[in-house]
Structure formats: structure tokens, C-alpha cells
Amino acid sequence: MATEAKQTVRVDSWIWSVRLTKTRSQAAAACRAGHVRVNGDRVKPAQSVKAGDEVRVFHEGRERIVVVRELHSKRVGPPVAAEAYVDNSPPPPPREHVALAGVRDRGAGRPTKRERRELDQLRGSRTAERQQRRGDQG
């Protein structure tokens, strides 16, 4: 059910209605954080979007590039949502390339300071890099 009478819809509402984010508040937060661009420009949640606009959403570690085909202001089902845009996003990385989270044995207790540093280093945390540099200097 495309909104024929309306020529524009709020960008946060459209992102939510076509299921690019799980909630409308997530869509609005992504807009406020600068993770949403319409035709190359960062937008606020109330920015209008119309058919033919290119919307880029960086969400959950992946950039989605879509071109608006239909306007929806209410959330629609997945088959209808898929028809509401043209997906030009790059394919997601294969599962082998996604970093694995450190897994601890059940009942192993809290990690020691050394184990926490190793986990931070494995995850690529900036704090781990700073701590390592401090240790190298001292």
C-alpha cells in the first residue's frame, strides 16, 4: 500500500517501514549520528525522502545503499518492503572473515587482567593499543 497522496515521507520513518532498521528510534538515532545520507548529504530524522532518492544507511557494521522506489510511512511486510527499494549494497562479507568473539569456558570465572588485555587486543580495541604502547615505553 504505497502512499500515493503523499509525495514525501520522513527518512527515519521510511527506513523503519522498509525494514532497514528494527525500530523507528534506531532509524532516528542513526540519522542523528550521521549514519544516514540521502543523495550524499547527511540528514536529520525529519528530512523528507521521495521516489528516486539514494539512501545510504550504515547500520550493524554494514553499509546499505538503496534507491527509493515506493514511499511507505507505516511498517510493511518483508515482500512489500523488498519492492519498495532497489538494493545497490555491496554483498556482506563472508562469515569466515567476520572476527570471532572470544569464548570462555562456562564456569571459568572472571577473566584475569592479562586475559582481558588479550581479549581487547584480539578485538582490536584502541585501549589495548594504548596500553601496549605504554608498556613498550616504560
Side-chain angles (χ1 to χ4, degrees):
M1 209 191 264
T3 336
E4 299 284 332
K6 284 187 170 181
Q7 297 298 323
T8 60
V9 176
R10 287 175 57 116
V11 70
D12 63 338
S13 177
W14 186 82
I15 289 171
W16 165 74
S17 67
V18 296
R19 297 175 175 265
L20 294 177
T21 59
K22 289 184 181 180
T23 64
R24 184 165 173 192
S25 61
Q26 280 182 345
C31 292
R32 283 191 298 274
H35 299 301
V36 177
R37 293 177 179 266
V38 174
N39 298 325
D41 298 327
R42 286 184 176 180
V43 294
K44 293 182 179 180
Q47 175 74 34
S48 296
V49 68
K50 60 186 182 313
D53 285 348
E54 180 190 66
V55 179
R56 291 174 176 255
V57 180
F58 187 79
H59 182 65
E60 294 180 351
R62 180 173 175 221
E63 184 177 35
R64 301 286 306 267
I65 304 168
V66 296
V67 177
V68 180
R69 285 165 98 194
E70 297 176 7
L71 298 176
H72 297 282
S73 57
K74 301 286 183 185
R75 194 157 171 98
V76 293
V80 177
E83 294 174 2
Y85 59 85
V86 178
D87 196 353
N88 295 331
S89 306
R95 287 196 176 252
E96 300 99 41
H97 296 289
V98 177
L100 297 174
V103 179
R104 294 183 48 80
D105 294 329
R106 186 172 172 89
R110 284 181 63 172
T112 63
K113 192 169 191 175
R114 172 187 260 172
E115 289 172 336
R116 277 187 279 132
R117 285 184 182 148
E118 289 171 356
L119 284 171
D120 286 344
Q121 205 168 19
L122 181 69
R123 292 181 185 141
S125 172
R126 286 187 170 185
T127 351
E129 293 170 9
R130 277 189 242 125
Q131 287 175 350
Q132 189 176 22
R133 275 189 261 135
R134 282 188 209 146
D136 292 342
Q137 291 172 358

